[in-house]
Amino acid sequence: MSQNNALRARFTDGALTTASGPKVITMCYDRLDRDLAGAIDALELNDVSTAHELLTHSQDIVHELLCMLDLDVWEHASALAAIYRYITQLLVSANVHKRVVDAREARHLLGEIGDAFRQAAVGLANVAGTQPREAGRDFSVRA
């Protein structure tokens, strides 16, 4: 691992261990969007190695999101689990068949789910009396 990658991993690990649950989820969706944007670009440029790396990383994140779901606690968890499984199929198809359309569909679906989680995080923060902010996104409520 290069020194740059090692530093990035250490920073990411530290951010994950100090972030709240909702923040971790939004970080996952932000990373998925970044990875899939890169994978789509790589597929369009026929950069198979980069596309593979980014698509498999996306599969890993979706798998972790699926594993975090507690089917016994939230009534809609099974529906979200089915969506995650479908997205995983899209990511595998995009990777195996180098299908940009599948990567785009996965990114679109994950973007919508990510937006819903971000809105929920804002609601939780408002209940707790805080205003979450992160780079590139302003979650403050405007009057």
Side-chain angles (χ1 to χ4, degrees), residues 60-86:
D60 291 343
I61 295 171
V62 172
H63 177 75
E64 289 302 320
L65 290 169
L66 177 61
C67 290
M68 284 190 271
L69 283 176
D70 189 338
L71 300 175
D72 298 325
V73 174
W74 184 41
E75 65 182 302
H76 303 292
S78 61
L80 185 55
I83 294 168
Y84 284 152
R85 285 190 289 275
Y86 175 69

Side-chain angles (χ1 to χ4, degrees), residues 12-135:
T12 302
D13 292 343
L16 286 174
T17 58
T18 60
S20 67
K23 177 70 174 174
V24 170
I25 299 297
T26 59
M27 289 170 69
C28 287
Y29 281 102
D30 291 343
R31 181 57 192 253
L32 280 164
D33 187 61
R34 204 167 49 244
D35 282 355
L36 289 173
I40 290 166
D41 289 344
L43 287 169
E44 289 173 341
L45 295 171
N46 203 28
D47 181 353
V48 175
S49 176
T50 300
H52 173 75
E53 180 182 332
L54 293 169
L55 289 167
T56 55
H57 188 250
S58 296
Q59 290 171 43
D60 291 343
I61 295 171
V62 172
H63 177 75
E64 289 302 320
L65 290 169
L66 177 61
C67 290
M68 284 190 271
L69 283 176
D70 189 338
L71 300 175
D72 298 325
V73 174
W74 184 41
E75 65 182 302
H76 303 292
S78 61
L80 185 55
I83 294 168
Y84 284 152
R85 285 190 289 275
Y86 175 69
I87 290 169
T88 299
Q89 291 174 346
L90 288 172
L91 295 172
V92 169
S93 176
N95 199 8
V96 170
H97 303 292
K98 308 306 177 216
R99 290 176 42 107
V100 176
V101 67
D102 291 338
R104 282 193 182 121
E105 183 178 355
R107 184 177 185 211
H108 173 75
L109 291 170
L110 289 165
E112 289 185 1
I113 298 167
D115 288 343
F117 272 106
R118 286 183 195 90
Q119 290 174 5
V122 168
L124 286 172
N126 288 337
V127 168
T130 61
Q131 297 289 322
R133 293 179 60 89
E134 66 180 83

